Amino acid sequence: MALLLPLLAAMVVCSYGSVSSLGCDLPHNSVLPSRRTFDLLDQMRRVSPFLCLKDRRDFRLSPGMVDGGQSHKVQAMSVVHQMLQQTLSLFHTERSSAAWSAPLLHELRTELHQQLELLDNCLEQVMVEEPSALIAGDPSVALRKYFQRIRLYLEEKKYSDCAWEIVRVEILRAISSVAKLQERLSQDGHLGSS
């Protein structure tokens, strides 16, 4: 648990950034992914991760999937969108309903859905500004394969409590990587202008 707390603290810190620098009409105090997403995923812990060490798996979220050359608004936003969409899909299955507290799962789904709606509007606007940006390197395929590995792992482990705990921690790590990408690009000014 002591090792998990610094990781979670780092993710929360990374999730605080102004989305207004994205150059679209997201609310000024909105953050993608939101701190609420991290909080909900943290609250969903049902099993100590230390009890599940034998079930750990490397799902191969390569740094290139979330930060390799993502210097355009559309590419960066596409990564965030794909991560949130795939996470929502993963936690929207019948098997996830059996694994998690219904109220927390509902809150997480609602939070992810709201973030996706905001991001859809923003992505649409930015696509008008940079219509050819995704041609240079759409990360969608790599992220879909990453989430497919997660789904296969859950199936292989028969959706056990430990398997879901490993996945929950992995999703926290993945969303943290996306938050770091967003923060880095915001600081570099790449998301503010083309």
Side-chain angles (χ1 to χ4, degrees), residues 24-83:
C24 56
D25 296 329
L26 292 175
H28 184 64
N29 61 354
S30 178
V31 176
L32 292 172
S34 75
R35 178 176 182 211
R36 184 75 183 134
T37 302
F38 290 107
D39 290 344
L40 289 167
L41 283 167
D42 186 43
Q43 291 173 34
M44 289 172 72
R45 183 171 61 98
R46 291 180 24 182
V47 179
S48 170
F50 295 108
L51 296 176
C52 302
L53 291 177
K54 67 182 179 351
D55 293 310
R56 285 183 302 175
R57 177 79 49 95
D58 179 7
F59 296 104
R60 298 185 306 256
L61 176 66
S62 69
M65 276 191 235
V66 293
D67 69 3
Q70 304 295 329
S71 60
H72 294 285
K73 285 188 230 180
V74 177
Q75 290 173 327
M77 292 175 70
S78 176
V79 168
V80 174
H81 187 275
Q82 188 68 228
M83 185 66 71

Side-chain angles (χ1 to χ4, degrees), residues 10-11 17 28 30 32 34 61 80 88 98-99 117 125 136 146 162 168 172 182:
M11 287 187 281
H28 184 64
S30 178
L32 292 172
S34 75
L61 176 66
V80 174
L88 179 61
E117 282 183 346
Q125 178 182 337
Y146 165 74
C162 271
R168 183 191 68 82
L172 275 168
Q182 176 190 337

